Amino acid sequence: MGERYKSVRTTVAIILVIAVMLGFAYDLFGIQIKNNEYYLAQSSAVKTYTVPIEAARGDIVDRNGNTLVTNRKGNSIVLNAAYFPPASENEERNAIIQNLIALFNKNGEEYVHNLPLKLTSSGSIAFYDESDDEKYEQSIKTLKSKDMLNLQDYATAQNCFDAMVEKYGLEDFDAATALEIGSIRYELTRLLFSVSNPVTIADDVSDKTVAEIKENDEYYLGADVQVVAYRSYTDSSLASHIIGTVRKINADEYKRLKDSGYGINDQIGESGIEAACESELRGTAGEKTVTIDAQGNVSEEITKEPVQGDTIVLTIDKDMQKIAEQKLSDICIKTSSAATGSVVVEDIHSGEVLAAANYPTYDLLEYYDNYTALTKNSKKPLINRFAMTAYAPGSAFKPLMSVAALEEGKITASTRFTCHNVYSVGEMTFGCLDAHGSLDVQGALEKSCNVFYYNCAELMGIDIMNKYGKMFGLGQKTGVEIPEATGIMAGPEYRKKFDMTWNPGDTVQAAIGQSENLLTPLQLANYCAAVANGGTRYKVHFVKSKITKSTGEVIDSDIEVLEETGVSAKTLEIVQGGMRRVGIKLFDSDFNPLTRITTPVASKTGTSQVIVNGVKQNNGFIISFAPYDNPEISVASAITTAGSGTSTAEITAAVIDYYYNQNNQEEKAQTDATLLL
């Protein structure tokens, strides 16, 4: 019985062995004979990846071809997945990253740290707070997201740290080292690290760091030195609010723009002309083809060269801009510790901005390093006051009132009103600076008599007043390329938004630039330009032309008329004559030796009352055009706590003196093409 059982087992075993051998034979037949060509192709297969090469941004130059922004070459350290250990090899990845961090720290290099976790002085893990990162809430949300650590919204900083340690195999490191390594590992995950998408981990590093990485490529396996273009400024503090800033694209922008060719590592204009002309400045990305064969050998070839972005020619004059900024700074500092201000210079026949300055301002090179301090500065240097701040214009509003009253036939050049220093509307009494006696419209402009314009307001009414305000562009955007405030025209329409009533006394207040009237310096300069040029309101612009990098073609910006006001030449001549009387006092007499210039100027000053720290103070304004007999430019300035518009006249004098007596660069007939190509 036992012998028979043993015989059966032997037979079964033999059958199984034969079956296995037949299976192997069949597989061998399939591999070597039947599917020989397929497996031969697989053994010699190569993988090909396309890697984008970012193009250098285009230059930004002034109207005379002087460079304002260009590029310089620098070195960034990039991790390249074609040479870097795969994600499954945590230990190898962490060792290389630790080596790189040690090198960066030794040589004083900054490297990426977008991980919103930090080690406190007590040794605990905490999230970055608002003072560490202005986008801290979004950063923490990203950290906990499904694509990153996949944690619930209520996860603590310690929960996030523990999950990161587990995800990246950082258990053997102390907390400080784990955060350093984890910050780079996190960046690789966040930016979708792959062969097609290398990730920059350190920008603008020294030649010493570059040399050490190149000489020890095995020690820093996968780290590559990439020559990139960094923004460079001839004067990084000049025209900062006009030029604007550039930064890495954020996640939301990438999602929105990836179909337009943007990569997750790309630069993008954040503000100013850098943002407004992003499509022209960014250039055309190139391509690099990376090939990896079956043996892991890597080869690279540039298959498409990048093309630098176009050159943007601005309307501003670099030297006039510098003078405007310096003189504005001097006056503000001399005025008070709280003073801020802005000035705009416009070509009255085109809407081109020749200069636009703010005080205080900031340095473009230090913007990101000092961002937190800049946002906390009580004088708010990041605010673009000439475009985004609207002021009550005070008596700078009176030329508009004069135009409206004359054009509507409510007064003539010879109409006179008597000023006794007070004016009553119903039970309300309004004052004037002096008892001016009997004045016509030109005398009222010269003396800045409130009572004259109270009379005009009652004759016209707020609707007529605002009709002319709209014609001259007040309370509406000028069309400039960068963000600007709309401003406010006081009146029943505005009051309705707040369920408030418009009263007769409000109309006379509005007539002298008070009530809710709020205008930007850009609007004031543009309105003054329309008064000076015969009643044409142009679209304000900073971009004079574009020079296409690929062809050298110069494409000029269109000069756009927004409104032909239709105001008669006679009306404008009367108003201009009244403004000339103000200009004579400010610029042609010994009233202030610092403002005396030879160019005939027409002006109107303005003052509006504000409360600063509980104390009533006056903001000062002045609008001007020159020369009086053949106008070419308008100038508008505003300085807070200045006391009066008269005190701002030094800025206007400096700008006009430069334009007519010191400006040796610009030839009126010279073209951009001649200057730049």
Side-chain angles (χ1 to χ4, degrees):
M1 188 71 175
E3 290 292 330
R4 186 165 57 183
Y5 179 69
K6 188 181 294 185
S7 175
V8 172
R9 286 198 303 173
T10 302
T11 301
V12 171
I14 291 171
I15 291 171
L16 289 173
V17 170
I18 292 171
V20 171
M21 291 180 65
L22 287 172
F24 280 133
Y26 180 79
D27 288 343
L28 191 61
F29 171 78
I31 293 171
Q32 293 191 342
I33 299 173
K34 183 179 179 181
N35 299 313
N36 177 62
E37 291 185 4
Y38 170 79
Y39 285 105
L40 186 62
Q42 288 288 66
S43 67
S44 59
V46 295
K47 294 181 179 179
T48 302
Y49 305 88
T50 300
V51 181
I53 303 173
E54 190 174 357
R57 291 180 72 82
D59 293 344
I60 301 175
V61 303
D62 84 339
R63 65 187 299 109
N64 301 307
N66 297 304
T67 299
L68 300 172
V69 188
T70 185
N71 302 291
R72 62 175 177 81
K73 289 183 178 180
N75 296 306
S76 63
I77 304 303
V78 175
L79 286 181
N80 191 331
Y83 304 94
F84 199 59
S88 59
E89 298 179 7
N90 273 330
E91 188 174 341
E92 290 80 359
R93 279 193 167 192
N94 292 339
I96 294 169
I97 290 173
Q98 188 177 23
N99 295 340
L100 286 165
I101 289 172
L103 175 64
F104 295 155
N105 289 336
K106 183 186 74 171
N107 292 345
E109 311 287 8
E110 293 188 6
Y111 55 94
V112 294
H113 205 302
N114 291 313
L115 179 70
L117 296 174
K118 64 180 179 180
L119 192 64
T120 67
S121 57
S122 63
S124 61
I125 301 295
F127 290 122
Y128 272 10
D129 56 34
E130 190 172 7
S131 64
D132 299 312
D133 182 355
E134 72 280 5
K135 300 181 180 68
Y136 74 109
E137 288 184 354
Q138 183 57 48
S139 298
I140 294 169
K141 185 177 179 180
T142 300
L143 177 66
K144 296 178 183 179
S145 68
K146 183 179 179 181
D147 294 333
M148 300 304 298
L149 299 181
N150 195 22
L151 296 174
Q152 297 297 327
D153 290 343
Y154 54 76
T156 65
Q158 186 65 52
N159 294 151
C160 292
F161 177 79
D162 293 340
M164 180 197 71
V165 167
E166 181 180 357
K167 181 181 179 74
Y168 299 131
L170 300 168
E171 293 86 352
D172 294 334
F173 297 98
D174 61 73
T177 305
L179 283 173
E180 286 186 320
I181 298 173
S183 67
I184 292 181
R185 294 295 303 271
Y186 172 78
E187 190 75 354
L188 299 184
T189 306
R190 190 179 71 87
L191 296 183
L192 309 176
F193 181 56
S194 67
V195 175
S196 297
N197 191 40
V199 171
T200 300
I201 60 170
D203 278 308
D204 212 8
V205 300
S206 64
D207 291 340
K208 181 180 180 181
T209 297
V210 169
E212 291 191 50
I213 288 176
K214 287 187 173 182
E215 291 169 4
N216 300 278
D217 54 350
E218 290 296 322
Y219 194 62
Y220 305 111
L221 188 65
D224 190 16
V225 177
Q226 193 172 82
V227 178
V228 295
Y230 292 102
R231 270 330 214 182
S232 176
Y233 308 94
T234 52
D235 183 346
S236 57
S237 64
L238 186 71
S240 302
H241 293 92
I242 300 172
I243 292 168
T245 55
V246 178
R247 57 161 169 76
K248 288 286 181 71
I249 193 171
N250 63 38
D252 290 338
E253 290 164 338
Y254 172 65
K255 288 177 184 177
R256 188 176 75 250
L257 297 171
K258 62 182 179 180
D259 292 338
S260 300
Y262 280 82
I264 201 166
N265 287 306
D266 281 1
Q267 297 276 327
I268 191 169
E270 180 181 34
S271 63
I273 293 299
E274 291 278 19
C277 298
E278 169 65 19
S279 59
E280 293 90 351
L281 287 167
R282 73 176 296 247
T284 304
E287 290 181 355
K288 178 171 67 174
T289 299
V290 178
T291 303
I292 305 176
D293 65 20
Q295 287 72 46
N297 299 311
V298 180
S299 61
E300 301 179 0
E301 180 185 4
I302 295 177
T303 48
K304 179 183 176 183
E305 293 285 351
V307 178
Q308 184 178 356
D310 298 335
T311 295
I312 298 297
V313 183
L314 298 184
T315 58
I316 68 170
D317 178 308
K318 177 176 70 71
D319 292 330
M320 181 186 284
Q321 179 73 23
K322 189 176 295 186
I323 287 170
E325 289 188 7
Q326 185 58 59
K327 183 57 71 170
L328 177 65
S329 173
D330 291 345
I331 298 299
C332 285
I333 291 170
K334 184 169 67 174
T335 297
S336 77
S337 60
T340 61
S342 58
V343 58
V344 175
V345 186
E346 181 181 334
D347 182 323
I348 69 167
H349 299 299
S350 66
E352 293 181 353
V353 180
L354 303 179
N358 289 313
Y359 177 84
T361 184
Y362 64 95
D363 191 305
L364 288 165
L365 281 178
E366 298 175 0
Y367 172 75
Y368 289 107
D369 289 341
N370 294 343
Y371 183 80
T372 300
L374 288 169
T375 59
K376 292 182 177 180
N377 187 318
S378 61
K379 295 175 79 168
K380 303 186 182 306
L382 296 182
I383 291 179
N384 184 353
R385 288 179 165 81
F386 65 72
M388 293 299 292
T389 299
Y391 306 87
S395 295
F397 197 74
K398 289 173 180 174
L400 176 76
M401 285 293 299
S402 303
V403 168
L406 287 164
E407 197 68 6
E408 291 292 318
K410 303 300 182 180
I411 64 170
T412 67
S414 59
T415 299
R416 304 180 79 85
F417 296 115
T418 301
C419 171
H420 296 295
N421 197 26
V422 293
Y423 188 86
S424 296
V425 179
E427 297 180 356
M428 301 184 70
T429 301
F430 301 93
C432 191
L433 293 176
D434 201 352
H436 294 109
S438 178
L439 293 172
D440 62 12
V441 63
Q442 289 192 338
L445 282 169
E446 179 186 2
K447 301 295 184 181
S448 201
C449 177
N450 289 346
V451 169
F452 186 95
Y453 292 99
Y454 295 153
N455 279 280
C456 290
E458 289 215 281
L459 290 171
M460 288 188 289
I462 192 65
D463 290 341
I464 290 176
M465 291 160 55
N466 283 355
K467 180 181 81 170
Y468 282 84
K470 184 178 179 181
M471 286 166 55
F472 282 83
L474 304 183
Q476 56 194 295
K477 294 185 177 182
T478 65
V480 73
E481 296 90 344
I482 62 179
E484 60 174 327
T486 303
I488 298 169
M489 283 297 290
E493 185 178 345
Y494 177 75
R495 288 276 179 92
K496 280 181 184 177
K497 298 177 183 178
F498 306 97
D499 295 323
M500 297 170 63
T501 303
W502 184 260
N503 300 305
D506 297 316
T507 299
V508 299
Q509 281 290 88
I512 60 169
Q514 300 282 358
S515 186
E516 286 105 359
N517 282 320
L518 295 173
L519 310 174
T520 68
L522 276 177
Q523 291 172 352
L524 289 171
N526 202 31
Y527 133 63
C528 183
V531 170
N533 68 24
T536 301
R537 179 163 61 90
Y538 291 96
K539 180 179 180 180
V540 178
H541 58 284
F542 279 110
V543 178
K544 186 173 179 64
S545 60
K546 175 183 74 174
I547 303 175
T548 307
K549 192 68 176 180
S550 56
T551 64
E553 180 186 7
V554 179
I555 302 172
D556 292 323
S557 297
D558 292 332
I559 296 174
E560 185 176 344
V561 175
L562 295 181
E563 179 138 16
E564 291 286 4
T565 64
V567 174
S568 68
K570 181 179 179 181
T571 289
L572 291 173
E573 183 181 351
I574 294 167
V575 175
Q576 291 167 358
M579 294 177 69
R580 174 61 182 143
R581 294 190 187 185
V582 179
I584 289 172
K585 181 178 180 181
L586 291 177
F587 302 106
D588 291 16
S589 68
D590 293 328
F591 174 76
N592 183 351
L594 295 175
T595 64
R596 185 171 176 82
I597 53 177
T598 58
T599 304
V601 181
S603 300
K604 185 68 194 84
T605 56
T607 305
S608 63
Q609 194 173 82
V610 293
I611 298 177
V612 180
N613 298 324
V615 179
K616 290 183 179 180
Q617 299 195 42
N618 291 330
N619 293 337
F621 306 88
I622 183 170
I623 58 172
S624 303
F625 64 84
Y628 165 69
D629 49 359
N630 185 23
E632 291 184 311
I633 64 172
S634 66
V635 186
S637 59
I639 296 181
T640 62
T641 72
S644 69
T646 302
S647 61
T648 73
E650 284 183 46
I651 304 169
T652 303
V655 166
I656 293 174
D657 181 57
Y658 164 78
Y659 189 77
Y660 289 104
N661 298 312
Q662 300 176 42
N663 181 6
N664 298 316
Q665 277 200 341
E666 183 174 14
E667 296 292 338
K668 293 291 187 291
Q670 199 166 24
T671 66
D672 295 326
T674 305
L675 287 162
L676 296 170
L677 299 179

